[in-house]
Amino acid sequence: MNYRCIYFSFVLSLLFFFSLWGQENTLSKYDPFLQRELKQSGHITLLRQAQPEIPSPALSKLMEKDEPLYNVIFHGDDHAFDELGVRFNTRLPGIATARVSLYDLLRAGYHPGIRQIETGGEMTVNLDRSRRRINAHRVHDGEIMNVPFKGRDVIIGIIDTGIDFFHPDFRD
Protein backbone atom coordinates (compact mmCIF):
# COMPACT_ATOMS: atom_id res chain seq x y z
CA MET A 1 0.00 0.00 0.00
CA ASN A 2 1.08 3.45 -0.71
CA TYR A 3 1.31 5.34 2.58
CA ARG A 4 1.32 8.67 0.78
CA CYS A 5 -2.15 7.99 -0.63
CA ILE A 6 -3.45 7.02 2.79
CA TYR A 7 -1.89 10.11 4.34
CA PHE A 8 -3.26 12.33 1.57
CA SER A 9 -6.77 10.83 1.96
CA PHE A 10 -6.60 11.35 5.71
CA VAL A 11 -5.59 15.02 5.32
CA LEU A 12 -8.38 15.64 2.79
CA SER A 13 -10.98 14.06 5.07
CA LEU A 14 -9.78 16.22 7.96
CA LEU A 15 -10.00 19.35 5.82
CA PHE A 16 -13.51 18.40 4.72
CA PHE A 17 -14.57 17.72 8.31
CA PHE A 18 -13.22 21.03 9.59
CA SER A 19 -14.80 23.01 6.75
CA LEU A 20 -18.18 21.49 7.64
CA TRP A 21 -17.58 22.09 11.34
CA GLY A 22 -16.97 25.79 10.73
CA GLN A 23 -20.16 26.12 8.69
CA GLU A 24 -22.28 24.30 11.25
CA ASN A 25 -20.79 26.45 13.98
CA THR A 26 -21.81 29.53 11.97
CA LEU A 27 -25.39 28.35 11.46
CA SER A 28 -25.69 27.61 15.15
CA LYS A 29 -25.41 31.36 15.81
CA TYR A 30 -28.80 31.85 14.11
CA ASP A 31 -31.73 31.33 16.45
CA PRO A 32 -34.23 28.55 15.51
CA PHE A 33 -36.86 31.05 14.33
CA LEU A 34 -34.38 32.74 11.97
CA GLN A 35 -33.23 29.33 10.70
CA ARG A 36 -36.86 28.38 10.02
CA GLU A 37 -37.45 31.66 8.17
CA LEU A 38 -34.31 31.11 6.08
CA LYS A 39 -35.31 27.52 5.39
CA GLN A 40 -38.82 28.52 4.26
CA SER A 41 -37.40 31.11 1.86
CA GLY A 42 -34.86 28.59 0.53
CA HIS A 43 -31.90 30.79 1.46
CA ILE A 44 -30.40 28.56 4.13
CA THR A 45 -28.86 26.38 1.40
CA LEU A 46 -26.96 29.39 0.02
CA LEU A 47 -25.75 30.27 3.52
CA ARG A 48 -24.53 26.70 4.05
CA GLN A 49 -22.63 26.68 0.76
CA ALA A 50 -21.03 30.13 0.98
CA GLN A 51 -18.17 31.47 3.06
CA PRO A 52 -17.14 35.12 3.12
CA GLU A 53 -13.96 35.97 1.20
CA ILE A 54 -13.90 32.55 -0.54
CA PRO A 55 -15.21 32.86 -4.13
CA SER A 56 -18.00 30.44 -4.98
CA PRO A 57 -21.26 30.46 -6.97
CA ALA A 58 -23.23 30.57 -3.70
CA LEU A 59 -21.28 33.61 -2.48
CA SER A 60 -21.85 35.38 -5.80
CA LYS A 61 -25.60 34.78 -5.51
CA LEU A 62 -25.63 36.11 -1.95
CA MET A 63 -23.68 39.22 -2.89
CA GLU A 64 -25.98 40.08 -5.79
CA LYS A 65 -29.20 39.65 -3.79
CA ASP A 66 -30.36 42.89 -2.18
CA GLU A 67 -33.67 41.33 -1.24
CA PRO A 68 -35.04 39.99 0.97
CA LEU A 69 -33.94 41.96 3.97
CA TYR A 70 -34.15 40.35 7.41
CA ASN A 71 -34.90 42.12 10.68
CA VAL A 72 -32.37 40.76 13.16
CA ILE A 73 -30.98 41.31 16.63
CA PHE A 74 -27.23 40.89 16.99
CA HIS A 75 -25.62 39.90 20.29
CA GLY A 76 -21.89 40.47 20.46
CA ASP A 77 -18.99 42.84 20.97
CA ASP A 78 -19.30 46.51 20.14
CA HIS A 79 -16.08 46.24 18.13
CA ALA A 80 -17.71 43.51 16.02
CA PHE A 81 -20.67 45.80 15.32
CA ASP A 82 -18.25 48.44 14.02
CA GLU A 83 -16.56 45.89 11.76
CA LEU A 84 -19.83 44.63 10.25
CA GLY A 85 -20.47 48.02 8.70
CA VAL A 86 -24.25 47.63 8.51
CA ARG A 87 -26.75 50.38 9.23
CA PHE A 88 -28.18 49.68 12.69
CA ASN A 89 -31.65 50.67 13.81
CA THR A 90 -30.83 50.52 17.50
CA ARG A 91 -27.46 49.98 19.11
CA LEU A 92 -26.76 49.38 22.78
CA PRO A 93 -23.73 47.85 24.49
CA GLY A 94 -23.63 44.19 23.43
CA ILE A 95 -26.85 44.26 21.39
CA ALA A 96 -27.94 45.87 18.15
CA THR A 97 -30.88 45.65 15.75
CA ALA A 98 -30.67 45.99 11.99
CA ARG A 99 -32.36 45.18 8.70
CA VAL A 100 -29.75 43.23 6.74
CA SER A 101 -29.23 41.36 3.48
CA LEU A 102 -28.33 37.68 3.18
CA TYR A 103 -24.69 38.60 2.58
CA ASP A 104 -24.62 40.63 5.82
CA LEU A 105 -26.17 37.65 7.63
CA LEU A 106 -23.41 35.43 6.27
CA ARG A 107 -20.65 37.85 7.30
CA ALA A 108 -22.16 38.26 10.78
CA GLY A 109 -22.45 34.49 11.19
CA TYR A 110 -18.74 34.05 10.51
CA HIS A 111 -17.61 37.01 12.61
CA PRO A 112 -16.04 35.75 15.87
CA GLY A 113 -17.30 38.79 17.81
CA ILE A 114 -20.96 38.02 17.04
CA ARG A 115 -22.31 35.46 19.51
CA GLN A 116 -25.94 35.14 18.43
CA ILE A 117 -28.30 36.39 15.72
CA GLU A 118 -32.01 36.42 16.47
CA THR A 119 -34.91 37.18 14.20
CA GLY A 120 -36.64 40.44 14.93
CA GLY A 121 -40.17 41.35 13.96
CA GLU A 122 -41.41 44.56 12.50
CA MET A 123 -43.42 46.61 14.95
CA THR A 124 -46.74 47.92 13.71
CA VAL A 125 -49.41 50.11 15.23
CA ASN A 126 -52.62 48.15 15.79
CA LEU A 127 -54.82 50.80 17.36
CA ASP A 128 -57.42 50.26 14.66
CA ARG A 129 -57.97 46.75 16.08
CA SER A 130 -57.23 47.22 19.76
CA ARG A 131 -60.45 49.13 20.53
CA ARG A 132 -62.57 46.13 19.47
CA ARG A 133 -60.28 43.58 21.14
CA ILE A 134 -60.57 45.21 24.58
CA ASN A 135 -64.31 45.85 24.06
CA ALA A 136 -63.90 49.63 24.37
CA HIS A 137 -66.61 50.02 21.72
CA ARG A 138 -69.14 48.62 24.23
CA VAL A 139 -68.24 51.38 26.69
CA HIS A 140 -68.38 54.03 23.95
CA ASP A 141 -71.79 52.78 22.77
CA GLY A 142 -73.24 52.64 26.30
CA GLU A 143 -73.76 48.86 26.37
CA ILE A 144 -72.07 48.43 29.75
CA MET A 145 -73.70 51.06 31.98
CA ASN A 146 -76.46 52.38 29.71
CA VAL A 147 -74.46 55.61 29.35
CA PRO A 148 -72.04 56.13 26.47
CA PHE A 149 -68.59 57.16 27.66
CA LYS A 150 -66.37 58.84 25.07
CA GLY A 151 -63.58 60.07 27.35
CA ARG A 152 -64.82 63.62 27.82
CA ASP A 153 -64.72 65.07 31.39
CA VAL A 154 -62.94 61.99 32.73
CA ILE A 155 -60.72 62.31 35.78
CA ILE A 156 -57.82 59.92 36.04
CA GLY A 157 -55.89 59.35 39.26
CA ILE A 158 -52.48 57.72 39.33
CA ILE A 159 -51.11 56.31 42.56
CA ASP A 160 -47.39 55.67 42.39
CA THR A 161 -45.46 53.92 45.14
CA GLY A 162 -42.16 55.42 44.03
CA ILE A 163 -38.98 53.91 42.73
CA ASP A 164 -36.73 51.28 44.27
CA PHE A 165 -33.29 52.87 43.90
CA PHE A 166 -31.66 49.67 45.15
CA HIS A 167 -33.05 47.55 42.27
CA PRO A 168 -30.23 46.28 39.97
CA ASP A 169 -31.89 47.89 36.90
CA PHE A 170 -31.21 51.37 38.33
CA ARG A 171 -27.52 50.90 39.11
CA ASP A 172 -24.80 52.61 37.09
Side-chain angles (χ1 to χ4, degrees):
M1 268 181 106
N2 189 347
Y3 291 106
R4 287 182 191 171
C5 288
I6 294 172
Y7 177 75
F8 184 69
S9 299
F10 178 72
V11 169
L12 280 179
S13 63
L14 281 177
L15 288 173
F16 179 73
F17 171 75
F18 282 113
S19 69
L20 289 178
W21 178 74
Q23 286 183 343
E24 198 58 41
N25 196 17
T26 299
L27 290 176
S28 68
K29 289 184 179 183
Y30 303 145
D31 80 333
F33 297 107
L34 181 57
Q35 287 186 31
R36 184 180 66 200
E37 191 175 337
L38 290 165
K39 194 177 287 184
Q40 288 173 346
S41 66
H43 294 123
I44 200 157
T45 305
L46 284 175
L47 289 171
R48 281 190 178 129
Q49 294 171 349
Q51 291 183 30
E53 312 297 325
I54 299 176
S56 69
L59 181 64
S60 298
K61 285 181 186 176
L62 284 177
M63 291 177 77
E64 69 188 29
K65 281 183 177 260
D66 292 335
E67 296 289 331
L69 296 176
Y70 291 91
N71 294 311
V72 294
I73 304 167
F74 294 112
H75 299 269
D77 304 335
D78 292 333
H79 184 66
F81 297 154
D82 294 333
E83 290 178 353
L84 282 179
V86 300
R87 186 171 168 263
F88 293 104
N89 298 328
T90 305
R91 188 167 165 186
L92 299 168
I95 190 168
T97 65
R99 189 166 169 85
V100 296
S101 68
L102 285 166
Y103 180 64
D104 292 330
L105 267 180
L106 176 74
R107 285 182 32 245
Y110 273 92
H111 197 290
I114 302 295
R115 289 185 305 277
Q116 184 181 12
I117 306 168
E118 293 181 66
T119 187
E122 281 190 48
M123 302 303 284
T124 58
V125 178
N126 295 320
L127 293 177
D128 59 332
R129 290 178 260 161
S130 64
R131 189 174 150 215
R132 276 241 176 252
R133 284 193 178 160
I134 64 170
N135 290 320
H137 67 284
R138 295 180 65 203
V139 175
H140 285 213
D141 298 339
E143 290 179 30
I144 303 296
M145 293 183 265
N146 297 326
V147 178
F149 287 99
K150 303 284 185 179
R152 184 174 286 145
D153 300 325
V154 174
I155 299 171
I156 298 175
I158 300 173
I159 300 172
D160 189 358
T161 60
I163 186 170
D164 179 7
F165 288 108
F166 299 107
H167 193 278
D169 287 347
F170 298 110
R171 293 190 184 176
D172 295 332

